[in-house]
Amino acid sequence: MALRTQLLSLSDVSAGEIGRWRELAAGALEPNPFYEPEYLLPVVRGLGDADKVSLLTVSKNGDWIACAPVHQQSRWGRDR
């Protein structure tokens, strides 16, 4: 079966998706607490950036195998 990618807005992430995210974080070979939902969600919401940050997920046969937060930039390159 092929891999499937999905981009989920952090402002709309469901409780079930947060649970899947927690499972991935708990099983990581190199844990990174800054990528865990208990850290990232309050920070992003507190900064008012929940609509600019998404969670990129990769799934195989319906099971998540990877996820990472992604910040959407409005433009490319240096500010002038």
Side-chain angles (χ1 to χ4, degrees), residues 7-36:
L7 201 57
L8 306 169
S9 171
L10 283 188
S11 60
D12 298 329
V13 70
S14 72
E17 292 162 339
I18 292 172
R20 294 169 114 182
W21 184 359
R22 282 189 186 116
E23 288 176 17
L24 279 177
L29 293 176
E30 292 287 333
N32 184 343
F34 300 109
Y35 275 22
E36 294 182 17

Side-chain angles (χ1 to χ4, degrees), residues 1-79:
M1 167 129 327
L3 297 178
R4 180 175 182 245
T5 61
Q6 187 175 9
L7 201 57
L8 306 169
S9 171
L10 283 188
S11 60
D12 298 329
V13 70
S14 72
E17 292 162 339
I18 292 172
R20 294 169 114 182
W21 184 359
R22 282 189 186 116
E23 288 176 17
L24 279 177
L29 293 176
E30 292 287 333
N32 184 343
F34 300 109
Y35 275 22
E36 294 182 17
E38 287 74 22
Y39 176 84
L40 192 63
L41 288 172
V43 169
V44 170
R45 290 176 180 153
L47 293 173
D49 284 343
D51 59 335
K52 296 178 186 173
V53 179
S54 299
L55 189 66
L56 175 64
T57 66
V58 180
S59 60
K60 183 176 182 181
N61 298 327
D63 297 323
W64 284 17
I65 59 173
C67 72
V70 179
H71 183 265
Q72 299 173 5
Q73 292 286 32
S74 59
R75 56 178 256 162
W76 180 263
R78 298 184 332 193
D79 289 335

